[in-house]
C-alpha cells in the first residue's frame, strides 16, 4: 500500500489526494451502442410491471422491497424511487425504447469521492444481454469521468452468487464480507463488499470497450471473448 511518511514523526501516512468534492449524480442520458441509461421516472412504470410481474425471483436479494402483489403497489414504489436523491435511480432502456431494468447510484459521499452502484434490478429481458453489461460500463464511466469519484463500490448479499460473479466480471475487486451486516426482510444478511478505484478505471474501461466492440460478437450475437477474460478473472 503506497503512502508517505509524516514529516515530523516519520510514521507512515496516506498519500496526498485531491480533496475537491465529487459531483452528485444528475438527470443525464448516457447513450450506448445497445441502448441507453436515463433518469428513472414514473413513465417507466408500465414497461417495468409488464416485465417484472410474475418474477418474484428478481426480488429475493433486494434488501427491503418486493415482490409486489399488484400494479398499484409497484407503481407507488417506482414513483418513490424516482423521487429520491440517494439512492439516485436510472432506468435502462433497450434499442426499442422499452425500459427493461434499473439501478441506482447510492451511499453518495461527494466529500470522500465515494459512491456505490446498487439496487440493481434487471428484468429477464435484460439479463445476460449486451445492454446489461453496457449499462454498467456507462454508469461507471459517468461516476469516474464526469462526476469525479475515486472509489466505486458494489455490495451484495453474500449468498447472491450471481451478483458476486457479476462484480468480478465487471472488474470489481472483492474486499471481504461484513458478517451480520443488516437485517433484510426479517433475515440475516452478510454483505460482500467489492470496489473499483479511479486508478483502475482506465484498464477496466478498456476491457469493457473490447468486450462491447462489434467484432467481439459472432454473426449470431455470441461473444467471442468473455469480459472475465479481458479482466483476468478465472471462470
Amino acid at each position: 500500500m503506497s503512502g508517505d511518511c509524516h514529516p515530523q514523526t516519520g510514521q507512515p501516512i496516506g498519500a496526498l489526494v485531491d480533496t475537491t468534492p465529487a459531483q452528485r449524480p444528475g438527470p443525464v442520458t448516457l447513450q450506448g451502442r445497445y441502448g441507453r441509461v436515463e433518469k428513472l421516472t414514473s413513465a417507466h412504470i408500465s414497461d417495468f410491471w409488464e416485465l417484472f410481474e410474475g418474477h418474484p425471483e428478481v426480488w429475493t436479494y433486494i434488501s427491503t422491497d418486493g415482490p409486489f402483489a399488484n400494479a398499484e403497489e409497484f407503481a407507488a414504489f417506482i414513483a418513490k424511487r424516482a423521487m429520491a436523491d440517494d439512492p439516485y435511480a436510472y432506468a435502462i432502456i433497450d434499442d426499442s425504447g422499452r425500459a427493461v431494468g434499473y439501478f441506482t447510484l447510492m451511499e453518495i459521499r461527494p466529500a470522500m469521492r465515494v459512491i456505490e452502484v446498487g439496487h440493481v434490478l434487471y428484468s429477464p429481458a435484460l439479463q445476460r444481454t449486451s445492454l446489461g453489461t453496457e449499462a454498467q460500463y456507462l454508469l461507471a464511466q459517468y461516476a469516474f469521468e464526469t462526476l469525479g469519484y475515486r472509489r466505486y463500490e458494489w455490495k451484495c448479499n453474500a449468498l447472491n452468487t450471481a451478483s458476486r460473479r457479476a462484480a468480478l466480471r465487471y472488474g470489481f475487486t472483492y474486499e471481504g464480507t461484513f458478517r451480520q451486516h443488516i437485517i433484510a426482510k426479517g433475515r440475516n444478511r452478510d454483505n460482500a463488499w467489492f470496489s473499483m478505484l479511479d486508478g483502475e478505471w482506465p484498464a477496466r474501461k478498456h476491457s469493457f470497450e473490447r468486450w462491447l466492440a462489434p467484432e467481439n460478437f459472432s454473426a449470431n450475437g455470441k461473444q467471442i471473448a468473455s469480459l472475465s477474460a479481458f479482466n483476468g478473472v478465472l471462470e
Side-chain angles (χ1 to χ4, degrees):
M1 183 178 295
S2 62
D4 298 320
C5 290
H6 193 282
Q8 279 79 44
T9 68
Q11 293 169 292
I13 54 176
L16 287 171
V17 299
D18 180 1
T19 60
T20 304
Q23 301 177 54
R24 297 190 67 85
V28 294
T29 297
L30 309 173
Q31 184 64 53
R33 180 178 290 114
Y34 302 103
R36 68 181 185 272
V37 172
E38 65 186 28
K39 179 71 181 77
L40 179 70
T41 71
S42 294
H44 300 118
I45 290 172
S46 60
D47 283 348
F48 283 154
W49 180 246
E50 180 180 340
L51 293 171
F52 286 119
E53 184 184 15
H55 293 282
E57 71 279 1
V58 302
W59 301 96
T60 300
Y61 296 114
I62 301 297
S63 61
T64 58
D65 305 297
F68 295 91
N70 53 60
E72 290 72 24
E73 289 183 6
F74 180 74
F77 163 72
I78 293 295
K80 180 179 179 181
R81 177 70 81 216
M83 292 177 61
D85 290 328
D86 186 355
Y88 195 91
Y90 295 92
I92 301 168
I93 312 298
D94 68 15
D95 58 6
S96 72
R98 180 177 60 164
V100 291
Y102 80 85
F103 48 14
T104 75
L105 290 173
M106 57 184 286
E107 299 292 334
I108 303 166
R109 295 188 284 155
M112 295 296 104
R113 294 169 55 201
V114 175
I115 200 165
E116 176 184 346
V117 53
H119 298 295
V120 178
L121 201 71
Y122 279 19
S123 74
L126 180 58
Q127 295 168 11
R128 298 183 177 276
T129 66
S130 298
L131 176 58
T133 296
E134 182 178 58
Q136 294 290 342
Y137 160 71
L138 292 171
L139 198 66
Q141 182 180 42
Y142 176 59
F144 283 121
E145 298 183 17
T146 301
L147 301 181
Y149 286 88
R150 63 193 295 262
R151 175 179 167 88
Y152 191 56
E153 297 180 333
W154 178 291
K155 305 185 187 85
C156 65
N157 189 314
L159 299 175
N160 189 347
T161 55
S163 185
R164 294 174 68 117
R165 284 196 302 266
L168 295 174
R169 175 176 175 267
Y170 295 143
F172 288 84
T173 296
Y174 172 66
E175 295 183 324
T177 295
F178 283 46
R179 300 177 300 164
Q180 296 188 185
H181 188 57
I182 60 174
I183 299 172
K185 298 176 180 174
R187 296 181 180 273
N188 176 65
R189 172 166 159 167
D190 296 349
N191 257 9
W193 285 48
F194 300 80
S195 73
M196 188 185 301
L197 306 182
D198 55 351
E200 298 164 345
W201 171 242
R204 300 296 181 258
K205 177 181 180 178
H206 183 59
S207 294
F208 271 120
E209 292 178 347
R210 289 175 69 193
W211 187 86
L212 290 164
E215 56 267 27
N216 190 46
F217 294 88
S218 64
N220 63 0
K222 297 293 184 180
Q223 69 175 6
I224 296 171
S226 70
L227 181 57
S228 294
F230 287 137
N231 279 322
V233 178
L234 295 177
E235 298 182 90

